[in-house]
């Protein structure tokens, strides 16, 4: 996955490997994360089925080149997320 941000004269390109995304998904329910999450948001985290979400990320690998987010502002700022 590629995250590209372009602002006035500056451009940032951040490659994010799918393995890092899967690790982040699995860590969402870890006790360390839940400890620092406010009580009112813990219910949302507990509703996430991390195994199914991880499978969905695996399926996304088949769609390389797909633009998930493509935002362009009037002042020239652009944010593009491509698989």
């Amino acid at each position: 996955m590629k995250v590209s941000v372009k602002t006035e004269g500056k451009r940032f390109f951040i490659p994010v490997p799918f393995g890092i995304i899967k690790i982040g998904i699995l860590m969402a329910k870890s006790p360390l994360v839940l400890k620092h999450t406010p009580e009112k948001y813990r219910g949302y985290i507990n509703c996430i089925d991390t195994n199914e979400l991880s499978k969905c990320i695996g399926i996304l690998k088949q769609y390389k080149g797909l633009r998930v987010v493509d935002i362009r502002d009037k002042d020239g700022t652009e944010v593009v997320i491509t698989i």
Side-chain angles (χ1 to χ4, degrees):
M1 185 175 292
K2 302 172 190 172
V3 178
S4 176
V5 179
K6 183 179 174 185
T7 60
E8 299 174 6
K10 295 182 182 178
R11 187 171 190 199
F12 300 100
F13 176 74
I14 305 166
V16 183
F18 283 105
I20 299 293
I21 295 171
K22 284 187 175 185
I23 290 171
I25 290 170
L26 295 175
M27 288 180 52
K29 285 193 171 180
S30 71
L32 180 65
V33 172
L34 291 175
K35 176 182 171 185
H36 295 290
T37 304
E39 188 67 37
K40 64 180 181 177
Y41 298 121
R42 288 185 192 167
Y44 296 116
I45 292 176
N46 290 330
C47 289
I48 298 172
D49 187 359
T50 55
N51 292 329
E52 290 298 319
L53 190 57
S54 182
K55 288 179 188 176
C56 292
I57 295 297
I59 291 170
L60 281 176
K61 287 182 183 181
Q62 300 172 3
Y63 297 97
K64 290 193 179 205
L66 176 69
R67 286 191 172 185
V68 180
V69 176
D70 190 357
I71 300 173
R72 297 167 197 265
D73 197 10
K74 291 179 183 177
D75 67 353
T77 303
E78 297 179 15
V79 176
V80 178
I81 299 177
T82 307
I83 295 178

